[in-house]
Amino acid sequence: RLSHDLPVRQHLMARPGVDIAELRTAVSHPMALAQCTRMLEQLGLVAEEAVNTAVAAQALAESEDRSRAVIASQAAAEAWGLNILRHDVHDRKDNFTTFCIVARRNGGMA
């Protein structure tokens, strides 16, 4: 098999002690934000793009901003000491990324 599907689970997280009612902005990678539009609309959060989810989580952990949240993985929450306020906030339950193996063969693409 030349490809592998990896489930992607997105969670809404904030600094410890922050209540979901305090949030105004959700920061994440553009693709993660696009995968969570329903939740953003339901909570009335403004989407703000970051280079990637890990950078967004680190920046939030190092700030004192109680109005910002991050959409990222459970591993990011654990790594940066953030609290998950809502699990599985992606719009589709079958949210996944497909990784493909790409190699050159005889000077061309396989």
Side-chain angles (χ1 to χ4, degrees):
R1 185 169 174 194
L2 297 176
S3 67
H4 176 72
D5 295 336
L6 179 67
V8 176
R9 297 183 64 201
Q10 305 286 9
H11 310 297
L12 182 70
M13 58 195 70
R15 294 180 46 76
V18 171
D19 185 84
I20 202 163
E22 297 177 74
L23 301 178
R24 300 292 172 259
T25 306
V27 184
S28 196
H29 183 273
M31 185 60 66
L33 293 169
Q35 293 169 350
C36 302
T37 56
R38 274 187 251 153
M39 181 272 309
L40 293 169
E41 289 174 3
Q42 288 171 352
L43 295 178
L45 299 178
V46 174
E48 183 178 305
E49 294 183 0
V51 175
N52 63 50
T53 58
V55 167
Q58 179 182 3
L60 181 60
E62 293 174 349
S63 81
E64 296 192 20
D65 193 339
R66 297 178 64 87
S67 69
R68 297 169 79 78
V70 169
I71 297 171
S73 68
Q74 183 171 335
E78 293 169 359
W80 296 106
L82 300 173
N83 287 345
I84 295 177
L85 301 175
R86 285 206 181 161
H87 290 268
D88 299 322
V89 294
H90 40 277
D91 295 341
R92 295 179 53 143
K93 296 302 174 196
D94 63 344
N95 195 26
F96 64 89
T97 297
T98 301
F99 292 91
C100 297
I101 298 170
V102 179
R104 290 192 181 274
R105 183 184 307 163
N106 299 328
M109 295 302 287

